[in-house]
Amino acid sequence: MWRRFTSLPLFFSHQARRAEELKICQAFCTEIIKPVEGDSYSRRNSHPFVAFVLGGPGSGKGTQCLKIAETFGFKHIGAGDLLRKEMYSGSENGAMIQKLMEEGSIAPSEVTVKLLKKAIESAEHRKFLIDGFPRSEENRMAYERIIGAEPNFVLFFDCPEEVMVKRVLNRNEGRVDDNEHTVKERLKVYKGITLPVVNHYAKKGKLYKVDGTGTQEEIFERLRPIFTSLRLST
């Protein structure tokens, strides 16, 4: 079931904020399927069409991004994939990124945004799904400062923690951060710093929340209406 956030109250005290935001994400939403204002896009725009895709590790966002890209002509850019590629490149940033990934921490915002900028500028596509970014308010602000634009909309995959952990441990992709300890650390980081990003875009009317449980086909059918409603040209 698609839900789009329409409004959220301002942040509460620092200690109560996370619990209150979790309640807000569940309570203050309305069922709605329609294009985000300003969805119409053409090559005459100076900026490409960008959708951020957020969700915890194992929420299914990467799998669904591949399906969306294939069905609707988007270019899928995984922020984590870019960082892993940089990690194995032998660059100065690579060793730093590897250490942070092993700890379940986040790479510096400027490093990630510059990798995203390079990937966008080098692609022939003009419609992008940026998977796994921004993971923090610092990420978000760095993107807007360096790129000079906001995303057109944001997808948020909502999925129980136990389901996400099970999926990550079962996917067996050989990634350095796919072990139980690191996954749980990643989930702690995700819960602690991503909800403010979710709240920010919800208040701006740019956030769509999708139930990330069920089969791949069931989840994709929940996604289909929003993308069929977009008026985008390649």
Side-chain angles (χ1 to χ4, degrees):
M1 178 71 67
W2 273 96
R3 290 186 174 91
R4 182 178 175 186
F5 294 66
T6 55
S7 64
L8 291 173
L10 296 176
F11 290 158
F12 303 94
S13 69
H14 177 74
Q15 294 180 344
R17 185 177 71 184
R18 294 177 190 171
E20 290 296 334
E21 286 178 338
L22 283 170
K23 293 177 183 177
I24 289 165
C25 287
Q26 295 173 350
F28 289 82
C29 56
T30 55
E31 297 180 6
I32 185 167
I33 301 174
K34 70 176 183 179
V36 178
E37 184 178 353
D39 276 342
S40 184
Y41 171 84
S42 74
R43 281 191 176 274
R44 289 173 296 186
N45 291 352
S46 59
H47 294 287
F49 188 98
V50 172
F52 288 161
V53 185
L54 299 176
S59 62
K61 56 186 173 54
T63 299
Q64 295 303 321
C65 280
L66 293 174
K67 288 178 173 290
I68 295 167
E70 181 180 0
T71 305
F72 297 104
F74 279 74
K75 172 69 175 178
H76 173 214
I77 299 177
D81 294 335
L82 291 179
L83 289 169
R84 279 183 284 274
K85 183 178 179 181
E86 185 71 12
M87 181 176 70
Y88 294 120
S89 69
S91 70
E92 182 178 346
N93 286 330
M96 175 266 295
I97 292 170
Q98 181 172 4
K99 184 176 185 297
L100 291 172
M101 281 193 168
E102 289 172 348
E103 295 172 350
S105 300
I106 296 178
S109 296
E110 287 206 4
V111 172
T112 307
V113 173
K114 287 178 180 179
L115 290 174
L116 289 170
K117 185 173 186 289
K118 181 179 179 181
I120 291 172
E121 290 177 346
S122 63
E124 295 183 0
H125 293 70
R126 295 290 291 168
K127 301 182 297 182
F128 297 91
L129 298 170
I130 299 184
D131 173 6
F133 184 92
R135 293 179 63 190
S136 69
E137 279 287 87
E138 183 186 0
N139 277 178
R140 177 187 67 77
M141 291 185 286
Y143 179 91
E144 293 176 6
R145 174 172 52 83
I146 295 172
I147 302 298
E150 294 185 356
N152 295 78
F153 68 88
V154 180
L155 294 179
F156 174 53
F157 285 78
D158 186 35
C159 194
E161 180 173 334
E162 60 270 20
V163 174
M164 291 190 284
V165 171
K166 183 178 179 180
R167 284 176 176 172
V168 171
L169 296 180
N170 287 341
R171 65 189 180 189
N172 192 28
E173 294 178 348
R175 286 166 42 171
V176 68
D177 52 348
D178 276 1
N179 59 78
E180 186 170 0
H181 171 74
T182 303
V183 171
K184 289 184 177 179
E185 288 300 312
R186 289 166 63 198
L187 282 168
K188 287 180 183 178
V189 172
Y190 160 74
K191 289 180 179 179
I193 65 176
T194 303
L195 282 179
V197 179
V198 172
N199 189 39
H200 173 82
Y201 288 118
K203 288 189 293 185
K204 301 197 73 154
K206 290 192 171 189
L207 189 83
Y208 283 86
K209 178 181 177 182
V210 60
D211 179 3
T213 62
T215 66
Q216 294 180 13
E217 291 72 22
E218 288 170 341
I219 297 169
F220 185 69
E221 288 308 311
R222 296 173 195 142
L223 289 163
R224 187 185 295 275
I226 188 171
F227 287 95
T228 55
S229 72
L230 295 176
R231 301 182 301 277
L232 301 176
S233 65
T234 57

